[in-house]
Amino acid sequence: MPDTQLTTAVVETLGNGYDVASVRADFPILSREVGGQPLVYLDSANTSQKPRSVIAAISEHLAEHNANVSRAMHTLGAEATEAFEASRTKLAGFIGAARPEEVAFTKNASEALNLAAHTLGASLKPGDEIVISVLEHHSNIVPWQLLAQRTGAVLRWFDITEDGRLDLAKAEAENLINERTKIVSLAWVSNVLGTVNPIRQIADQAHRVGAVMVVDGAQGVPQRPTSVAELGADLLAFTGHKMLGPTGIGAIWGRYELLETLPPFLGGGEMIEVVRMTGSTYARPPHRFEAGTQPIAEAVGLSAAVDYLSSIGMDAIAAHEEHLTAYALARLGAEPGVRLLGPSDAHERGGAISFTLTTGDGEQIHPHDVMQFLDARGIAVRGGHHCARPLHERLGITASTRASLYLYTTTSEIDALAEGLAYVRDFFGGKR
């Protein structure tokens, strides 16, 4: 068990101005049971749950305003277009964009990162360098690998320290970011270790050599106050379903002067200016990057999600997560057989907490077994490499179990997880 004074302090802080019970009441799914047990949902880094307001906004749009955008001149078309563009404007304000036209919709963060790789790659030549890190999600590795293969560019990466942070000293010694570097693409927050990377510091370094800074914000934007100017990014990718919105919609933000220089990603309707059989000209950003019918109802739902997050306040959400993370690190770290991965300090750490579990004889219990045994107790976590296999290889393990916290998570749910892990360990032969 964790230190009583720490536990009490964390609980009292959580109750100071943040009513998690009221928040939870807005999420219908959190009141259901799984296998006769109350649902304990600890998989928000995978996808977040949705409040009633988001569900209602999507339902109302489909029931009352459903039409295609920018094409139909009738009333429903005008209403759908207004709602779609209003979502763009709201999203731009949420991340501190200078203008709505800097936000282009995609279907998720993966597509946004592929968009960045394809369009930025148009100017690469053999010998140019792309820099990523070993802790990236596959969505921020594979597109750059493909780009390097197409162009002859060289892919390089940051290593990590033993506590799961970017090894800046090693990078400096290796001259990782240099005059050949054209693109740097990093996660703001690791989806496995919770590490918050020093994006502004690295962006400044990238800009000094003329490189473009791309940021994977899939885990950062839902959890932390976001200002693209303060972050130092040139392009920022994120997704709706991790920030209370529906699946099927994400976005890429970019400095408008940069977006103007980038070629289209996909061809089709609405991304064009004029089409002739001899060639085409293209629309200005953001529509240049939005070929075909867009996820309109999903954009409406994402707009409602932004409203919900804003009504609570991202500062309050980030503080809630930090206190929960401190509680979870103490509570889980006190359990025999649990090895926590990543930084041990909850400050400047995201709410994804990955770990391994071993028996009393030191034998690792496979994360898939941990996940299934916990599910039988109504506890939803994720087991595997979490689309970050290179990171797990770097850590010397094949897989891990991940519990991820969010604005509706409670300390009692973390207690349930700790008790569940003790049960799993005992079942597989734990010795205390």
Side-chain angles (χ1 to χ4, degrees), residues 48 50 107-109 238-247 249-251 302 305:
S48 63
K50 322 305 175 191
K107 66 174 179 286
N108 46 46
F238 56 104
T239 191
H241 73 98
K242 297 183 192 295
M243 53 186 288
L244 310 185
T247 56
I249 187 160
L302 181 53

Side-chain angles (χ1 to χ4, degrees), residues 267-283:
E270 298 306 318
M271 51 73 63
I272 46 80
E273 186 179 59
V274 177
V275 176
R276 295 186 175 90
M277 294 307 296
T278 53
S280 301
T281 57
Y282 307 114

Side-chain angles (χ1 to χ4, degrees), residues 63-81:
E64 302 290 340
H65 310 290
N66 184 51
N68 213 332
V69 299
S70 304
R71 302 176 188 182
M73 301 301 291
H74 48 67
T75 297
L76 292 183
E79 291 174 351
T81 300

Side-chain angles (χ1 to χ4, degrees), residues 282-328:
Y282 307 114
R284 296 176 66 82
H287 300 107
R288 178 183 303 172
F289 308 109
E290 295 178 348
T293 298
Q294 294 298 297
I296 303 163
E298 289 80 359
V300 171
L302 181 53
S303 180
V306 169
D307 283 339
Y308 187 90
L309 292 170
S310 299
S311 70
I312 297 175
M314 292 306 297
D315 285 323
I317 292 170
H320 175 68
E321 283 200 51
E322 182 175 335
H323 291 304
L324 278 175
T325 301
Y327 184 88

Side-chain angles (χ1 to χ4, degrees), residues 126 128 155 163-164 197 233 263 281 292 309 353 366 373 387 392 413 419:
D128 288 341
L155 186 67
D163 66 346
N197 289 323
T281 57
L309 292 170
I353 301 174
H366 197 285
F373 272 73
C387 295
H392 281 78
E413 291 182 310
E419 292 162 6

